[in-house]
Amino acid sequence: MKKFGGKVLYLDRSDINTDEIIPAKYLTEISKEALKPHMLEDLKLEGFDPGSEKVREARVIVTRSNFGCGSSREHAPWVFEVNDINVVIASGFARIFRQNMFNCGMLAIEIPEEDIEKLFGFDDGTAEISVDFRNDSLTVMSGAGEQTFSYRISGFDKALVEAGGWVEFADARY
Amino acid sequence: MALTLAEKIFKSHLRDEPFPGTKVLDIDVVMCHEITTPIAVNDLVARGKDRVFDPAKIKVVIDHVTPAKDTKTAQQGKILRDWARRQNIEDFFDIGRNGICHVLFPEKGFIRPGYTVIMGDSHTCTHGAFGAFAAGVGTTDLEVGILKGVCAFREPKTIRINIDGEVPEGVYAKDIILKVISELTVKGATDCVIEFHGDVVKGMSMEGRMTLCNMAIEAGGTSGVCMPDEVTVDYLWPFISSEYGDKKTALEEFRKWWSDDGCEYMKVLDIDVSGMEPQITYGYKPDEVKNVSEMEGTPVDQIYIGSCTNGRIEDLRVAAQYLKGKKIAPFIRGIVSPATPKIFREADEEGIIKIFMDAGFCVTNPTCGACLGMSNGVLAAGEVCASTTNRNFNGRMGKGGMVHLMSPAMAAVTAVEGRIADPRKFKKESL
Ligand code: SF4
């Protein structure tokens, strides 16, 4: 299983699409590693610098609703994966992106808008999140304190993460 | 129990339910293109599983960047081509015979009512126009589809859209779907199938229905769906005549897929198109839609007519009706990409290509090209494109570029004016 948790990158916007996460011009790459420098390159967000240290050190993304909408490109989860970001927490995901994350053995955690709001309250530049995968909970820590939230993912999605992804799961079963 | 069309397809294709709420379906058609498939192929090879579940059910096309523009895209094409050859996939379409996947595959008769269809492409929802469950997926889902012929889904809920009224002059399927998306919002149909009903849909050609279903994903929808009827039978007839003998029998078979009276809809939306204005997007999301009258006069740099939304023969005909005898405004450039070789040939035979060329348009070979900003018409920063495509995302057609989505009619009159224009104010010529 992958490692889940670490420094948080807050993306304070809804409807971030996969073209913003990884622009189409890099889809000619046939290795995941080659995508690495281009993560979130076209993100439209006031003050966001894709080359910043904050982005480089991030291990978890916290964002708003409908994250990952648009193109089906699995290059979006991959560019996170090669940048060691294995968890995205949002109040909602686009279907294909969400499934792509679990299919790669990564976590797309959906929690209510109020809880997302609370998570944003911990953003003082030092926030870290640890995920307790077994117990379906996550804990945020920063200068603003510490709080634990429970979340729910489907039995299937949990099994995919445990199996290491959908190819492994399907190959063993079908 | 009364079922929706999607529920019927899920029931008939159910292979496994590994966990409550997760349904693993048998897939009838797995479609592949050169952007999302090569990594799946390479991964299968690396795993020592370089096989396909059924070569007859796999359809392959090189369409996004074709002819190849550089070494990397040539390599993607090569991986796909070599794989199709090695796996004995007969339905493989390369340069000269290739076209945009969601236009080419229906044209080849690969889709039937009641089918399950997946592809590593979000606009796979287009094929639901035939009464199929057609969903875009990522590369891993595609890989499992290729290897095992299955795909996992949550059972989708269904949203029903009733489209009725008198379609005004200058308003087309594209305007209607933009209106629908603006009402549903970009996430309003997440994990849902969108069913299109009503007299307007009944009166639409398969081309128009595909334009509607194509943009279901822009509201987050898993698949767009139309009920298969006489229009569907007529379109498919060359491919199914030996199977059914007469059209009535085919229609009766297809009708079995219709959503039952009394089935459960998550939401029903009524849209009256009477008096509707032509629609256009203004922002960076496809639900940011306005009436054309609010946008008229906005300067543009490039016109793009093509894509899996509006690169079909009907679209080119409409644009040509507005362009006949006219010229593109000075310093404005126009690009038209007929979506398949068949469409290109028809447009040529009908004199449409000549009309575009006389107006000053560049006519490209069938390809996705400029739609996703990879080739054939990429925008410079600060440029504005009037486009018949489906996405106006930031950077979609080139970093720093702006895209306004619209119908082919509006794109044509905008080309002539050099500014966003209202097709209702222009005369259509007969072709
Ligand atoms: S035309 Fe555009 S939206 Fe359609 S498949 Fe090609 S790139 Fe995707």
Side-chain angles (χ1 to χ4, degrees):
Chain A
M1 239 170 41
K2 291 190 161 42
K3 218 179 139 279
F4 302 116
K7 283 215 163 132
V8 182
L9 175 64
Y10 286 93
L11 302 178
D12 193 2
R13 216 200 83 195
S14 289
D15 307 318
I16 292 174
N17 64 64
T18 53
D19 271 79
E20 297 180 279
I21 297 169
I22 182 79
K25 59 178 181 261
Y26 304 118
L27 305 188
T28 59
E29 300 296 348
I30 46 173
S31 86
K32 298 179 186 179
E33 247 347 276
L35 304 172
K36 194 169 176 176
H38 306 297
M39 182 174 73
L40 295 166
E41 205 173 272
D42 275 351
L43 180 64
K44 213 171 173 55
L45 183 65
E46 192 70 16
F48 179 78
D49 173 10
S52 66
E53 198 170 323
K54 213 161 141 183
V55 172
R56 247 195 332 274
E57 289 182 344
R59 298 292 172 265
V60 177
I61 287 173
V62 172
T63 182
R64 301 283 179 182
S65 74
N66 198 30
F67 187 80
C69 58
S71 159
S72 64
R73 62 191 68 161
E74 204 162 303
H75 306 68
W78 295 336
V79 77
F80 291 145
E81 187 182 16
V82 295
N83 281 287
D84 297 319
I85 295 173
N86 291 322
V87 189
V88 181
I89 304 165
S91 62
F93 292 95
R95 177 190 65 87
I96 304 174
F97 176 84
R98 182 190 65 214
Q99 203 54 51
N100 286 347
M101 287 286 285
F102 289 114
N103 282 350
C104 294
M106 298 157 75
L107 284 174
I109 298 174
E110 215 168 303
I111 59 174
E113 230 163 277
E114 310 87 76
D115 287 348
I116 288 289
E117 203 52 56
K118 286 180 194 154
L119 280 183
F120 269 91
F122 286 86
D123 180 14
D124 63 354
T126 70
E128 293 199 19
I129 284 178
S130 62
V131 178
D132 184 349
F133 179 75
R134 300 258 159 263
N135 295 308
D136 302 318
S137 75
L138 58 94
T139 302
V140 61
M141 287 153 288
S142 82
E146 186 180 319
Q147 193 174 347
T148 298
F149 300 83
S150 61
Y151 64 82
R152 281 181 55 189
I153 59 174
S154 76
F156 178 61
D157 292 336
K158 211 163 178 180
L160 292 183
V161 174
E162 278 164 346
W166 172 225
V167 179
E168 287 75 5
F169 182 95
D171 202 34
R173 195 165 167 121
Y174 304 109
Chain B
M1 206 179 97
L3 299 176
T4 64
L5 181 142
E7 285 165 348
K8 289 182 186 185
I9 295 178
F10 268 59
K11 207 173 150 197
S12 61
H13 288 72
L14 187 67
R15 164 85 73 97
D16 185 23
E17 198 169 349
F19 292 89
T22 299
K23 305 217 163 166
V24 176
L25 305 184
D26 283 315
I27 303 300
D28 295 310
V29 186
V30 177
M31 310 192 298
C32 302
H33 66 54
E34 87 279 19
I35 300 294
T36 51
T37 315
I39 294 192
V41 169
N42 284 354
D43 194 61
L44 286 171
V45 171
R47 289 172 189 269
K49 296 183 188 300
D50 185 17
R51 312 185 283 272
V52 301
F53 82 109
D54 182 349
K57 291 184 175 174
I58 298 181
K59 315 293 175 189
V60 185
V61 67
I62 297 175
D63 63 352
H64 275 57
V65 188
T66 176
K69 70 181 169 96
D70 54 17
T71 307
K72 282 181 178 168
T73 50
Q75 185 62 23
Q76 287 181 307
K78 182 171 162 44
I79 293 171
L80 203 64
R81 190 179 298 113
D82 290 349
W83 171 70
R85 184 185 292 139
R86 150 171 115 236
Q87 301 298 343
N88 298 311
I89 295 168
E90 284 182 14
D91 292 317
F92 167 68
F93 301 91
D94 207 337
I95 189 80
R97 279 158 284 183
N98 59 3
I100 300 173
C101 48
H102 308 308
V103 186
L104 184 75
F105 291 153
E107 192 185 280
K108 296 285 175 192
F110 293 156
I111 315 299
R112 299 279 188 283
Y115 266 19
T116 50
V117 182
I118 62 165
M119 182 178 203
D121 193 285
S122 60
H123 292 101
T124 306
C125 51
T126 312
H127 307 277
F130 291 85
F133 175 77
V137 298
T139 291
T140 301
D141 272 336
L142 180 73
E143 185 173 336
V144 171
I146 288 168
L147 187 64
K148 304 282 179 182
V150 298
C151 194
F153 292 96
R154 297 181 186 178
E155 180 136 30
K157 297 182 172 68
T158 299
I159 296 175
R160 179 185 173 115
I161 318 262
N162 299 314
I163 306 170
D164 292 290
E166 191 84 28
V167 185
E169 189 61 36
V171 169
Y172 299 89
K174 180 63 161 286
D175 302 286
I176 296 170
I177 188 62
L178 286 175
K179 182 89 191 160
V180 168
I181 295 162
S182 73
E183 302 234 343
L184 287 175
T185 80
V186 288
K187 60 178 180 195
T190 302
D191 285 310
C192 294
V193 164
I194 304 177
E195 279 185 10
F196 296 100
H197 291 263
D199 287 341
V200 173
V201 181
K202 283 195 196 114
M204 267 184 197
S205 63
M206 285 312 300
E207 282 80 0
R209 295 177 190 185
M210 283 191 262
T211 301
L212 290 183
C213 291
N214 174 268
M215 291 190 73
I217 182 70
E218 307 315 330
T222 305
S223 185
V225 170
C226 298
M227 300 301 121
D229 59 7
E230 291 85 354
V231 178
T232 322
V233 173
D234 283 342
Y235 186 101
L236 288 174
W237 193 243
F239 311 103
I240 60 172
S241 54
S242 58
E243 202 176 321
Y244 292 104
D246 62 89
K247 289 188 179 178
K248 203 169 143 271
T249 315
L251 188 60
E252 273 163 24
E253 277 301 309
F254 290 178
R255 274 195 72 119
K256 290 180 185 159
W257 295 108
W258 283 27
S259 292
D260 297 326
D261 288 341
C263 67
E264 199 182 317
Y265 289 115
M266 192 190 88
K267 184 176 179 172
V268 179
L269 189 67
D270 296 311
I271 300 219
D272 184 355
V273 298
S274 315
M276 191 179 128
E277 274 196 37
Q279 304 290 299
I280 174 173
T281 63
Y282 61 89
Y284 294 104
K285 295 193 296 165
D287 62 354
E288 294 177 330
V289 175
K290 280 184 177 171
N291 290 329
V292 65
S293 55
E294 297 171 79
M295 292 286 289
E296 249 180 305
T298 309
V300 302
D301 300 287
Q302 177 171 294
I303 315 295
Y304 186 67
I305 299 178
S307 87
C308 57
T309 317
N310 282 127
R312 299 185 176 82
I313 189 67
E314 274 189 6
D315 302 314
L316 304 192
R317 275 186 202 130
V318 167
Q321 284 171 341
Y322 287 99
L323 283 172
K324 194 172 179 184
K326 306 262 173 50
K327 295 259 181 270
I328 298 182
F331 291 100
I332 308 299
R333 54 193 196 270
I335 301 170
V336 57
S337 299
T340 67
K342 179 167 179 269
I343 294 166
F344 201 129
R345 199 186 291 270
E346 282 170 6
D348 188 34
E349 284 163 6
E350 294 178 25
I352 291 169
I353 297 293
K354 185 173 182 305
I355 293 170
F356 274 109
M357 292 186 77
D358 288 347
F361 267 81
C362 160
V363 185
T364 81
N365 65 297
T367 179
C368 296
C371 171
L372 78 166
M374 282 179 87
S375 64
N376 267 7
V378 180
L379 300 178
E383 285 191 324
V384 178
C385 185
S387 180
T388 69
T389 55
N390 45 43
R391 286 197 172 131
N392 53 346
F393 296 160
N394 182 37
R396 171 77 179 183
M397 294 181 79
K399 200 176 177 73
M402 175 86 202
V403 179
H404 296 295
L405 305 176
M406 61 185 69
S407 72
M410 200 189 295
V413 297
T414 297
V416 173
E417 291 293 296
R419 294 166 182 276
I420 306 277
D422 183 345
R424 295 173 302 176
K425 296 183 179 165
F426 293 78
K427 204 171 146 271
K428 276 202 278 189
E429 303 291 337
S430 51
L431 296 178

